[in-house]
Amino acid sequence: MAVDELDTRILRLLIEQPRTSVREYARILGIARGTLQARIDRLERDGVITGTGPFLSPGALGHPVLAFVHIEVTQGHLDEVGDALAAVPEIIEAFSITGGGDLLTRVAARDNGHLEDVIQRLINLPGVVRTRTEMALRERVPYRLLPLVESVGRSAGAPR
């Protein structure tokens, strides 16, 4: 999916001012509301925009401990373990990976004891061989996509 300069400007607004109306976005960008809506619809259809809504803080929800748990899985059981992970509410994300382990999960916990309980729950899942946990101390770069969007936008505008 090609993202051009206008798409980049639209995505920037959506990221920086998520609660603004489509009419106001169109005014800011100096384009027709229909043009803007067609662009947003295309970005959604092409999977560039995957959702809308608030970003929530696990810490503010009473789960300030963040850990990354690598999970090694018995061969042939990756799908079953992946499905079982979806039933663990403290797992924020889970990815199949290469390298040390088969799955990497991001876990939010109330405290260290709660994290240990979650890890024990993971260890007891059928198909899990072992886990390795790394705790986050401080967020250095928060989740962000705007620099990537801008980089893609610059590349789209560059002569080829």
Side-chain angles (χ1 to χ4, degrees):
M1 143 91 225
V3 174
D4 64 17
E5 183 184 343
L6 179 55
D7 293 333
T8 301
R9 291 172 54 213
I10 291 167
L11 293 169
R12 171 187 272 283
L13 277 175
L14 292 173
I15 290 168
E16 291 181 340
Q17 300 176 36
R19 300 182 80 174
T20 302
S21 69
V22 172
R23 181 183 311 244
E24 181 62 12
Y25 289 143
R27 187 195 66 73
I28 292 168
L29 293 167
I31 61 175
R33 184 189 169 288
T35 300
L36 174 64
Q37 191 61 61
R39 290 286 186 126
I40 291 173
D41 291 346
R42 181 180 50 82
L43 291 166
E44 289 175 346
R45 188 175 53 255
D46 291 346
V48 175
I49 298 173
T50 58
T52 59
F55 292 102
L56 305 178
S57 164
L61 292 170
H63 288 67
V65 175
L66 175 64
F68 299 92
V69 180
H70 297 258
I71 302 172
E72 188 176 323
V73 176
T74 304
Q75 266 190 315
H77 291 87
L78 190 59
D79 289 338
E80 296 91 40
V81 173
D83 291 343
L85 294 177
V88 181
E90 294 85 358
I91 293 183
I92 298 172
E93 296 178 290
F95 299 92
S96 298
I97 60 169
T98 62
D102 300 299
L103 294 163
L104 175 63
T105 64
R106 188 170 143 198
V107 178
R110 292 184 304 272
D111 53 38
N112 290 353
H114 182 221
L115 176 60
E116 181 182 14
D117 294 342
V118 172
I119 293 167
Q120 288 303 315
R121 182 173 176 190
L122 298 179
I123 289 169
N124 289 317
L125 292 174
V128 172
V129 176
R130 73 179 50 88
T131 65
R132 188 181 88 244
T133 303
E134 298 165 355
M135 291 183 61
L137 300 176
R138 179 180 298 149
E139 183 178 66
R140 298 294 180 166
V141 177
Y143 180 82
R144 68 206 180 126
L145 287 174
L146 187 55
L148 178 62
V149 168
E150 291 176 335
S151 173
V152 169
R154 279 191 301 274
S155 297
R160 296 181 192 236

